[in-house]
Amino acid sequence: MSDTTSDTTTRDLVQTGSIHRTSRSGGPTRASVAVYAADPVLRVGVVQQLRQRPEVELVDDADAERAQVSLVVVDGIDDDVAALLNRLRYNSATRTGLVIGTLGAGGLQRVIECGVPVVLRRAEADQDQLVRLVLAAANGEGVLPGDLLGELLSHVGNLRRSALDPGALSLSALTTREADMLRLVSEGLDTAEIARKTSYSERTVKNVLHEIITRLQLRNRAHAVGYALRNGLI
């Protein structure tokens, strides 16, 4: 995605807060945070929760790039949100925390690829949990819901096995994202349905499936599914 698209995405997401202060020793007196949300109702709810807590200091738009924590509040992961997360990833002054409504199949992998170490489901985002999320991000910690942590550990285990046995077909022929999409194809889902399930754009889904078919020299999606099933890839 181009820099122009990323800048547009950032402007579309709302930032809010007040100025951040430092202590005499030069360190922050509390965790400064900038809130990014596409939905103004979500923004207001999160800001109201955080504004009541002395451990958190909201920063205004002008200082958002210098906040210790950039808190992104969204319904799900799409290309626009990923563009914002990637832009924040390369800002050395801030760490990113994510409050999200739903994570579809492959959604966690995409979040990790965007460099987000701290994730909270919106349904669990009460005041205490939001503050914990912000402080964990400010301290450089990683926080994931238990079920997502298990999914991540499984993914890391697959990567380790792949490194130990790079010739293993089930690990080297398909990435996790590719396997997830082929599995959904095998269940009869079309491109639009796969995009909704995985939180990727339809264009990304088409590109991923085309890459599988081309790389493995297959004829079409049905052939790719048959190949994957025969070789235990899905």
Side-chain angles (χ1 to χ4, degrees):
M1 184 167 293
S2 68
D3 292 339
T4 301
T5 302
S6 296
D7 291 343
T8 301
T9 299
T10 304
R11 288 196 298 270
D12 288 343
L13 291 165
V14 183
Q15 306 165 10
T16 186
S18 60
I19 302 298
H20 124 143
R21 298 192 300 269
T22 57
S23 65
R24 292 179 182 177
S25 63
T29 57
R30 47 183 172 168
S32 60
V33 57
V35 178
Y36 295 77
D39 184 338
V41 175
L42 290 180
R43 175 181 63 85
V44 169
V46 171
V47 168
Q48 290 294 340
Q49 298 256 42
L50 295 178
R51 199 184 297 280
Q52 302 172 37
R53 298 295 290 262
E55 308 98 312
V56 175
E57 187 162 17
L58 294 162
V59 304
D60 62 12
D61 292 0
D63 281 347
E65 296 291 330
R66 294 189 294 155
Q68 287 176 282
V69 178
S70 294
L71 186 62
V72 179
V73 186
V74 293
D75 290 322
I77 297 295
D78 57 20
D79 289 345
D80 288 341
V81 173
L84 172 65
L85 294 177
N86 278 317
R87 188 186 70 77
L88 293 172
R89 178 182 185 180
Y90 294 108
N91 177 2
S92 60
T94 191
R95 298 178 185 275
T96 304
L98 179 66
V99 179
I100 189 165
T102 58
L103 270 175
L108 176 60
Q109 181 179 344
R110 197 172 194 194
V111 168
I112 299 300
E113 287 172 354
C114 291
V116 180
V118 182
V119 180
L120 177 66
R121 285 198 175 90
R122 213 168 66 211
E124 302 166 357
D126 59 22
Q127 188 179 98
D128 288 339
Q129 291 291 349
L130 284 171
V131 171
R132 290 192 189 101
L133 181 79
V134 170
L135 296 180
N139 291 327
E141 301 171 3
V143 177
L144 292 173
D147 60 317
L148 295 184
L149 180 59
E151 182 180 333
L152 177 61
L153 291 174
S154 176
H155 177 61
V156 170
N158 287 340
L159 292 178
R160 290 183 63 187
R161 287 192 294 274
S162 179
L164 292 172
D165 185 11
L169 182 62
S170 61
L171 296 171
S172 63
L174 296 177
T175 66
T176 301
R177 179 172 68 171
E178 290 171 341
D180 286 340
M181 289 190 184
L182 272 187
R183 191 174 296 111
L184 293 172
V185 172
S186 73
E187 294 173 2
L189 276 66
D190 61 21
T191 299
E193 291 169 327
I194 294 172
R196 287 194 295 271
K197 283 273 189 180
T198 60
S199 300
Y200 287 99
S201 67
E202 291 186 35
R203 181 178 179 180
T204 297
V205 172
K206 290 177 182 177
N207 288 342
V208 169
L209 293 174
H210 177 73
E211 165 63 21
I212 297 170
I213 292 167
T214 301
R215 188 176 73 245
L216 299 180
Q217 299 181 341
L218 304 170
R219 294 188 299 276
N220 49 42
R221 294 186 182 187
H223 191 191
V225 169
Y227 175 90
L229 289 170
R230 285 194 304 274
N231 289 282
L233 303 181
I234 60 176

